[in-house]
Amino acid sequence: MKKHEKIYIAGHRGLVGSAILRRLLTDGFSNIVVRTHDELDLTDQQATEKFFASEKPDVVFLAAAKVGGILANQEFPVEFIRDNINIQTNVIGAAYQHGVRRLLFLGSSCIYPKLAAQPIREESLLTGPLEPSNRPYAIAKIAGIEMCWSYNRQYGTQYLSVMPSNLYGPGDNYHLTHSHVIPALIRKFHTAKQTGAAEVLVWGTGRARREFVFSDDMADACVYLMRLPSERFAELLGHTTRENATEIAHPPIVNIGVGSDMTISELAEAIQHTTGYQGRIRYDATKPDGTPQKLLDTSILSSLGWTPKTPLTDGLRASYADFLQQQTRS
């Protein structure tokens, strides 16, 4: 990825897309194209084709997606599979038709089997059943990975997928029920502090384990990968091997994580400390925990020389400050 190339960030207002935009601008990239959803609906194939024909970007970061937490996935399964498949199909197809040189597709760790061996390697894809609570979203993301790999195999494209663990940071969605766990808990604990509530109710048993990546670290990793030399980048674009007469698929995936995880109860206590809430935490075991553990194996990314920079305590402080700013603006 060169400084003069035209770069399109799909989903530049989202958590990861906005962080990628900040990172590129900091690194001196200025030939950047963005569109809001009102300006370009990526579920509209004609509109997407017209945009790519007009702008002809050299590089694409595909961060646009319909995302949400457990409840949102349960309430809107149609939207989560339909909209994400449409966005991916339209953008990846138009990228090929109009000569995009490199494309980075942002997936999710929920693509991996619910009971995958920990830490989860990229080769674990499609080796077991998915977590039911977000299966439509996961299947959509798996389709995007397979689409990238199919174009790479058939047309020699350079389309790479990255799988982050749970993301958080400035620009997040702090909806109480439809957001991911960190922004939802930030809002819960802040509201409880403001109202003087005696306790905060947290979904699940608190025993599920999760790994968390700060959005600016995620953006740094994405840009780092896209700036790799051609030889190193090509090694990541998918292949198969045979071991003991068994064919093993190595999809065009790079995991992005921090190498450690924590229980939801440990996370809740960290957010309680960050927000300054003094009451009790109670867990609602009637609500789903989701996948018991999702810790990613990040050895591929580490071997390329990238490491995360933001400790969770610093990231939570930045996220809480962002939440307070959003509250002030609203």
Side-chain angles (χ1 to χ4, degrees):
M1 191 169 66
K2 309 296 191 302
K3 293 285 181 71
H4 68 273
E5 290 184 302
K6 182 179 284 190
I7 301 169
Y8 170 47
I9 305 173
H12 75 286
R13 285 184 165 179
L15 176 62
V16 180
S18 61
I20 290 173
L21 178 58
R22 289 194 299 272
R23 181 65 192 182
L24 289 173
L25 292 174
T26 299
D27 285 354
F29 290 86
S30 57
N31 193 7
I32 301 172
V33 181
V34 296
R35 293 289 188 275
T36 65
H37 177 73
D38 289 340
E39 293 169 331
L40 174 60
D41 180 359
L42 293 174
T43 66
D44 183 328
Q45 184 178 16
Q46 275 193 318
T48 305
E49 287 278 354
K50 183 177 179 181
F51 166 78
F52 272 81
S54 172
E55 292 293 341
K56 292 183 168 55
D58 301 296
V59 174
V60 171
F61 288 89
L62 179 44
K66 179 165 183 65
V67 300
I70 290 178
L71 182 60
N73 274 269
Q74 290 178 333
E75 289 184 342
F76 307 108
V78 171
E79 286 82 355
F80 273 88
I81 190 167
R82 180 196 65 201
D83 292 354
N84 283 304
I85 285 179
N86 284 340
I87 290 169
Q88 297 156 194
T89 301
N90 294 342
V91 172
I92 295 171
Y96 168 69
Q97 291 295 330
H98 298 283
V100 166
R101 190 175 67 80
R102 280 189 185 181
L103 180 144
L104 191 75
F105 170 63
L106 275 77
S108 166
S109 60
C110 72
I111 64 161
Y112 293 119
K114 177 176 181 175
L115 301 178
Q118 306 289 318
I120 307 172
R121 296 176 57 83
E122 289 85 351
E123 293 82 6
S124 297
L125 181 68
L126 296 176
T127 59
L130 300 166
E131 158 59 36
S133 64
N134 55 20
R135 186 171 55 209
Y137 177 71
I139 288 173
K141 289 297 182 180
I142 291 169
I145 296 165
E146 191 62 40
M147 190 174 296
C148 288
W149 199 359
S150 297
Y151 274 95
N152 291 347
R153 288 199 303 266
Q154 189 166 339
Y155 298 117
T157 52
Q158 298 184 49
Y159 299 165
L160 178 65
S161 306
V162 290
M163 298 303 118
S165 53
N166 294 61
L167 294 166
Y168 72 103
D172 215 334
N173 167 26
Y174 297 94
H175 193 282
L176 190 59
T177 56
H178 291 164
S179 62
H180 290 113
V181 61
I182 285 183
L185 289 181
I186 284 175
R187 180 160 189 161
K188 274 193 175 186
F189 279 104
H190 174 79
T191 301
K193 183 177 76 169
Q194 295 299 102
T195 60
E199 66 178 23
V200 166
L201 186 65
V202 176
W203 271 34
T205 64
R207 294 192 294 268
R209 302 188 68 87
R210 293 292 182 269
E211 177 183 17
F212 298 98
V213 178
F214 190 57
S215 56
D216 285 345
D217 282 350
M218 174 67 182
D220 183 62
C222 290
V223 173
Y224 186 89
L225 288 167
M226 291 292 268
R227 298 187 75 177
L228 287 173
S230 297
E231 302 77 22
R232 299 303 302 274
F233 194 79
E235 294 170 358
L236 306 174
L237 299 180
H239 63 284
T240 57
T241 59
R242 291 188 68 83
E243 295 181 17
N244 299 323
T246 301
E247 189 173 87
I248 299 175
H250 302 270
I253 298 175
V254 175
N255 287 338
I256 298 178
V258 297
S260 62
D261 60 5
M262 65 192 332
T263 65
I264 294 299
S265 62
E266 290 170 332
L267 173 69
E269 290 166 6
I271 294 175
Q272 179 184 31
H273 177 75
T274 300
T275 59
Y277 172 67
Q278 299 297 317
R280 300 186 303 273
I281 303 174
R282 183 164 65 89
Y283 295 91
D284 183 357
T286 67
K287 298 294 192 294
D289 275 332
T291 301
Q293 183 179 22
K294 284 198 296 183
L295 176 63
L296 298 183
D297 184 314
T298 56
S299 55
I300 290 178
L301 187 56
S302 297
S303 72
L304 294 169
W306 186 87
T307 55
K309 301 175 178 63
T310 309
L312 183 71
T313 51
D314 293 347
L316 289 179
R317 280 197 295 267
S319 295
Y320 187 42
D322 176 65
F323 169 78
L324 294 175
Q325 285 184 347
Q326 288 197 29
Q327 293 293 105
T328 301
R329 288 195 296 269
S330 61

